[in-house]
Amino acid sequence: MLKTFPKGGIHPPENKLTSSKPIQRLPVPKVVYVPIAQHIGIPAEIVVDRKDKVDIGQVIAKSGGFVSSNIHSPVAGTVTKLDMIVDSTGYKKQCIVIRTDAKNASNFVETEYPLKKEIELEPQEILQRISDYGIVGLGGATFPSHVKLNIKADKKIDCLIINGVECEPYLTADHRLMLEKAEEILMGIQILMYALNVPRAIIGIENNKKDAIETFKKLMLQEPKIQVAALQVKYPQGGEKQLVRALLKREVPKNGLPLDVGVIVHNVGTIFAIYQAVQHNKPLIERVVTVTGKKMGKASNFWVKIGTPIKDLITEVGGMPEGTRKIVNGGPMMGKALKNTDVPVTKGTSGILVISEDEASRGETKPCIRCGECVSVCPMGLEPHLLMNLSEKGMFEHAGQEDILTCIECGSCSYVCPSHRPLLDYIRFGKSIVKKLDVSKN
């Protein structure tokens, strides 16, 4: 019996068009646009100036506080501007513009690091390295990893969960990384287990990635403290609370974290980044990005330098298909449409989805028919129809009392609504107001 979470969930078409496409390396861009807010928390503070020469991996913006993260230069080159650019949120944010030095060979020679199994750093040094090298959650949330790993004395962690679910349709970046870098990911898991003194780890992978499950099962034959768990294909299986419930049958508190039930959850991409930082002194300056869409002729997965304009990725897969309606940062369920293709890749960019006119068109919004479908699929046990109505009518205090902040914004409610009501849009809006008002239910 495959493991899963008990409440709600849906199974949209998977559309994993690039699951068999090996990760390619995107050409180094001529210019990178590196935002200083690529993580949850306080933006980093710029420590370079216009005309400064920078090297690959050099710190160009330092953590602005505890919940913040360092930013490193992905290329060797010259800082040309400290500018305001539109990022994936649609708002202008501060950014460091670097022109790549075409004569610097280090920009164009990619080092292939050998697998390194000896852990030379002490636990505290490992955690400091993770902080110094700008590692954040690569599953989408971009929470600074050193914060998540800062465990207070009154908390006891007995399990590390590795999220290899990748339940969002279309995206295959994590799947390919698991197939191509399994030994490095395993080593990253062992590094974290050692640093945190955690006795066991579980890698959760959805059952539509049987090749990844088998790959890790073979590696784990000599690793009794680490197990692989196949999960039912159900969205949003990759949500932290859903994953903890599925694998351990522990219920994370409503306004709590996995830490509250003795668990830390990390995405496989984050684990690989931790391995590279600890074993090879490599900061987080690139990541795997899926570039896909039903009408994309050369959809694939790429290693992409942070700060690369999205238009470079689109060009690499053959350009924009005729009839394109939307370009989405992320997947179709939780991703957000981009304003233009000048937006840069950040640490949180897991995929670029190109959607055609016929796919993107929403049905005409009609009155709610009280069918209850949105309630039945909500993995958090909420009433999405009610939360939308309260947000639409400006009844934000009431929305807070109805637990609107508990919504994980998975979009399952909007997906199943027969009246095509923009449930998630209004709930997101309502959440943003409730956060400011601080009227949530305790």
Side-chain angles (χ1 to χ4, degrees):
M1 183 89 177
L2 295 172
K3 297 175 182 289
T4 191
F5 56 96
K7 290 181 188 173
I10 57 176
H11 189 180
E14 294 169 28
N15 291 320
K16 302 286 190 178
L17 311 175
T18 53
S19 61
S20 62
K21 302 287 186 179
I23 306 170
Q24 305 174 50
R25 184 156 291 282
L26 196 77
V28 178
K30 294 179 180 178
V31 179
V32 292
Y33 303 81
V34 187
I36 62 169
Q38 299 188 47
H39 46 264
I40 286 177
I42 303 168
E45 297 174 353
I46 296 173
V47 294
V48 292
D49 208 345
R50 187 173 172 271
K51 296 185 179 180
D52 282 357
K53 300 285 186 182
V54 294
D55 294 320
I56 293 176
Q58 178 181 328
V59 175
I60 54 176
K62 285 192 173 181
S63 170
F66 181 57
V67 185
S68 187
S69 184
N70 288 342
I71 306 289
H72 302 76
S73 178
V75 296
T78 304
V79 176
T80 59
K81 289 182 185 177
L82 303 178
D83 205 358
M84 300 291 287
I85 66 160
V86 175
D87 70 0
S88 58
T89 66
Y91 294 98
K92 282 192 173 183
K93 302 285 182 66
Q94 198 163 22
C95 155
I96 301 167
V97 183
I98 304 171
R99 184 179 67 247
T100 302
D101 183 354
K103 295 180 180 179
N104 191 321
S106 64
N107 281 320
F108 308 100
V109 177
E110 185 54 39
T111 304
E112 282 296 328
Y113 297 104
L115 179 67
K116 183 179 177 183
K117 293 188 175 183
E118 301 78 21
I119 303 173
E120 297 172 352
L121 300 182
E122 294 299 317
Q124 197 55 45
E125 292 175 316
I126 290 171
L127 299 179
Q128 189 61 51
R129 178 71 61 85
I130 291 168
S131 175
D132 292 344
Y133 282 39
I135 311 301
V136 302
L138 298 185
T142 63
F143 195 78
S145 296
H146 67 275
V147 179
K148 184 180 282 191
L149 299 173
N150 182 50
I151 302 166
K152 295 180 180 178
D154 61 338
K155 299 288 185 182
K156 177 67 176 174
I157 303 301
D158 65 7
C159 187
L160 173 66
I161 289 180
I162 311 306
N163 188 342
V165 175
E166 199 167 40
C167 58
E168 181 86 41
Y170 285 97
L171 303 186
T172 61
D174 287 349
H175 184 185
R176 290 308 312 179
L177 190 65
M178 288 189 286
L179 292 178
E180 298 179 34
K181 300 292 182 182
E183 289 183 295
E184 289 85 350
I185 291 169
L186 172 58
M187 196 62 230
I189 296 170
Q190 292 172 329
I191 288 168
L192 269 193
M193 291 177 72
Y194 167 65
L196 300 174
N197 192 27
V198 177
R200 65 168 175 153
I202 306 174
I203 307 172
I205 307 174
E206 270 194 327
N207 204 42
N208 58 357
K209 304 172 187 65
K210 288 183 168 57
D211 48 1
I213 292 170
E214 289 306 311
T215 296
F216 277 107
K217 279 187 174 178
K218 288 177 183 176
L219 287 176
M220 301 311 168
L221 291 175
Q222 305 301 319
E223 299 292 340
K225 295 180 179 179
I226 306 174
Q227 68 181 96
V228 183
L231 295 158
Q232 184 178 323
V233 181
K234 186 168 75 167
Y235 178 87
Q237 191 81 257
E240 276 195 341
K241 293 181 179 180
Q242 284 69 40
L243 190 55
V244 171
R245 180 64 176 78
L247 293 176
L248 298 174
K249 295 186 177 179
R250 299 180 191 175
E251 200 75 47
V252 178
K254 184 179 64 180
N255 295 314
L257 298 168
L259 193 63
D260 297 323
V261 291
V263 182
I264 283 182
V265 182
H266 265 309
N267 171 267
V268 289
T270 312
I271 293 292
F272 180 71
I274 287 171
Y275 163 80
Q276 288 197 308
V278 173
Q279 300 296 77
H280 299 293
N281 299 300
K282 183 175 180 179
L284 183 51
I285 57 174
E286 63 181 2
R287 65 156 297 147
V288 183
V289 180
T290 301
V291 187
T292 186
K294 289 182 179 177
K295 296 192 176 180
M296 301 298 285
K298 296 189 280 186
S300 194
N301 300 288
F302 297 95
W303 280 109
V304 184
K305 299 281 188 184
I306 302 300
T308 301
I310 298 298
K311 61 186 176 186
D312 287 17
L313 282 74
I314 301 295
T315 299
E316 190 67 18
V317 295
M320 199 83 71
E322 188 176 343
T324 295
R325 171 73 177 275
K326 284 184 182 178
I327 300 174
V328 175
N329 178 39
M333 299 301 296
M334 296 185 74
K336 296 178 181 177
L338 296 173
K339 190 171 183 178
N340 59 54
T341 57
D342 292 326
V343 169
V345 167
T346 64
K347 295 177 182 181
T349 306
S350 55
I352 299 299
L353 172 60
V354 178
I355 302 179
S356 63
E357 181 75 39
D358 53 336
E359 285 183 281
S361 297
R362 289 188 178 186
E364 181 187 352
T365 300
K366 297 177 182 177
C368 175
I369 61 172
R370 301 293 189 271
C371 65
E373 282 294 308
C374 62
V375 177
S376 67
V377 300
C378 178
M380 299 305 297
L382 302 174
E383 296 184 70
H385 65 93
L386 173 61
L387 298 177
M388 174 184 167
N389 288 341
L390 294 173
S391 298
E392 189 176 17
K393 293 173 181 177
M395 300 172 68
F396 301 114
E397 186 167 346
H398 190 176
Q401 294 298 312
E402 293 293 341
D403 286 341
I404 194 170
L405 294 184
T406 303
C407 170
I408 62 172
E409 301 182 21
C410 68
S412 297
C413 53
S414 293
Y415 181 82
V416 299
C417 180
S419 295
H420 308 292
R421 294 180 66 73
L423 292 151
L424 180 56
D425 296 340
Y426 273 100
I427 292 172
R428 274 178 174 157
F429 170 65
K431 283 180 69 176
S432 69
I433 303 297
V434 171
K435 284 177 183 176
K436 294 176 183 176
L437 296 177
D438 192 25
V439 292
S440 60
K441 185 177 174 183
N442 294 321

